[in-house]
């Protein structure tokens, strides 16, 4: 089993100097840990009083930029003092988000951005919307050069990355708060490393056995029902 021996070179973050930013070094392939290494962006806001533990935050996506989110949450004082006083609050940009592990490389970035925006607007709850989303995804796949990195972007590897972060932070156990995809990641981590978990909180839980397409259909139906109740 690979054990991380590296340290994070923490520096004040540019967006919020009250937080520190750095890179977690992990193997691209855990089956061959001497292979190419990845550097994942991380941020930490240290406990302002007596520390009780480390709280790792993972938002939705999984493409959400949690490094920026933590800095914004701390800067906007959105976190309760009971959290910021007693916990180191940590965010990590998982593989596929950090620049050196981004999946889509294309010369036509404007076109890729346009396709992504149209995908967001697609109604997966209808046959027409689902068909449009499929066509748009095919267009994006044609434009993007995914390369070998795509073979190593998975929840399974992200779970291992999360435990390497725990090791580097020198914590026996972590506290974890997950939203949306973060709940799926948290459950996968709990399954793999139950002894390394102190407490977990899940918000907007997703069904862990669903694939992305099933999730999109389920999510669209839920949003439509919520909108109907709002206007009724």
């Amino acid at each position: 089993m690979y054990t991380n021996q590296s340290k994070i070179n923490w520096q004040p973050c540019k967006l919020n100097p009250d937080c520190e930013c750095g890179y977690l070094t992990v193997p691209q392939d855990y089956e061959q840990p001497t292979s190419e290494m990845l550097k994942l962006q991380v941020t930490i806001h240290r406990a302002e009083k007596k520390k009780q533990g480390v709280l790792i935050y993972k938002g939705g996506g999984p493409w959400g930029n949690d490094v920026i989110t933590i800095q914004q949450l701390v800067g906007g004082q959105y976190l309760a003092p009971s959290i910021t006083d007693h916990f180191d609050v940590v965010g990590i940009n998982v593989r596929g988000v950090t620049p050196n592990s981004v999946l889509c490389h294309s010369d036509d970035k404007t076109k890729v951005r346009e396709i992504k925006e149209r995908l967001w607007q697609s109604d997966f709850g209808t046959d027409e919307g689902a068909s449009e989303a499929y066509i748009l995804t095919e267009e994006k796949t044609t434009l993007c050069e995914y390369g070998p990195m795509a073979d190593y972007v998975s929840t399974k590897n992200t779970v291992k990355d999360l435990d390497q972060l725990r090791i580097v932070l020198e914590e026996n156990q972590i506290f974890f708060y997950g939203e949306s995809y973060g709940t799926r990641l948290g459950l996968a981590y709990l399954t793999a490393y139950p002894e390394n978990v102190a407490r977990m909180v899940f918000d907007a839980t997703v069904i862990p056995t669903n694939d992305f397409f099933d999730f999109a259909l389920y999510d669209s139906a839920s949003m439509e029902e919520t909108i109907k109740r709002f206007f009724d």
Side-chain angles (χ1 to χ4, degrees):
M1 184 180 70
Y2 175 80
T3 300
N4 205 319
Q5 301 296 326
S6 63
K7 301 291 184 182
I8 297 174
N9 181 23
W10 296 109
Q11 301 291 332
C13 299
K14 293 181 180 179
L15 179 64
N16 183 350
D18 289 336
C19 297
E20 298 170 57
C21 289
Y23 289 91
L24 173 71
T25 303
V26 296
Q28 175 176 276
D29 182 0
Y30 278 98
E31 299 299 321
Q32 301 180 45
T34 57
S35 63
E36 183 176 348
M37 305 300 285
L38 301 177
K39 290 187 175 182
L40 307 180
Q41 294 172 323
V42 290
T43 189
I44 186 170
H45 178 267
R46 301 190 185 276
E48 297 173 4
K49 296 181 180 179
K50 185 178 179 181
K51 177 182 166 182
Q52 295 181 6
V54 166
L55 172 62
I56 297 177
Y57 168 86
K58 181 68 195 88
W63 48 82
N65 191 321
D66 296 320
V67 167
I68 290 179
T69 298
I70 290 299
Q71 295 178 65
Q72 292 174 332
L73 289 173
V74 171
Q77 297 182 334
Y78 294 112
L79 299 178
S82 57
I83 298 296
T84 54
D85 283 352
H86 302 293
F87 290 88
D88 288 350
V89 183
V90 176
I92 177 171
N93 283 349
V94 300
R95 18 177 106 207
V97 176
T98 292
N100 76 333
S101 65
V102 171
L103 295 184
C104 180
H105 300 277
S106 173
D107 293 332
D108 194 347
K109 293 181 173 56
T110 301
K111 182 64 175 178
V112 171
R113 189 179 304 111
E114 176 189 328
I115 291 175
K116 287 181 178 179
E117 290 174 355
R118 288 171 63 192
L119 274 169
W120 274 111
Q121 297 168 4
S122 296
D123 182 2
F124 288 89
T126 65
D127 291 339
E128 294 81 4
S131 297
E132 180 189 29
Y134 178 82
I135 293 171
L136 288 170
T137 302
E138 288 289 302
E139 287 184 33
K140 181 173 177 286
T141 301
T142 303
L143 282 171
C144 293
E145 298 176 10
Y146 287 94
M149 180 60 206
D151 295 334
Y152 305 105
V153 176
S154 65
T155 297
K156 180 181 178 180
N157 279 334
T158 299
V159 163
K160 294 178 180 179
D161 294 341
L162 201 60
D163 202 55
Q164 293 307 310
L165 178 59
R166 177 194 64 80
I167 292 170
V168 170
L169 293 175
E170 299 181 346
E171 296 291 325
N172 292 325
Q173 293 184 315
I174 62 168
F175 294 80
F176 182 89
Y177 180 90
E179 296 177 353
S180 191
Y181 170 76
T183 67
R184 186 169 188 161
L185 176 62
L187 184 59
Y189 184 85
L190 179 63
T191 302
Y193 304 103
E195 69 281 3
N196 297 343
V197 175
R199 295 285 189 278
M200 285 188 161
V201 175
F202 294 160
D203 186 1
T205 308
V206 299
I207 300 173
T209 54
N210 279 1
D211 60 22
F212 183 78
F213 189 74
D214 287 335
F215 166 74
L217 290 173
Y218 179 84
D219 194 42
S220 297
S222 299
M223 287 191 287
E224 184 175 358
E225 181 61 29
T226 301
I227 291 172
K228 286 180 179 178
R229 288 203 304 266
F230 177 82
F231 286 105
D232 287 345

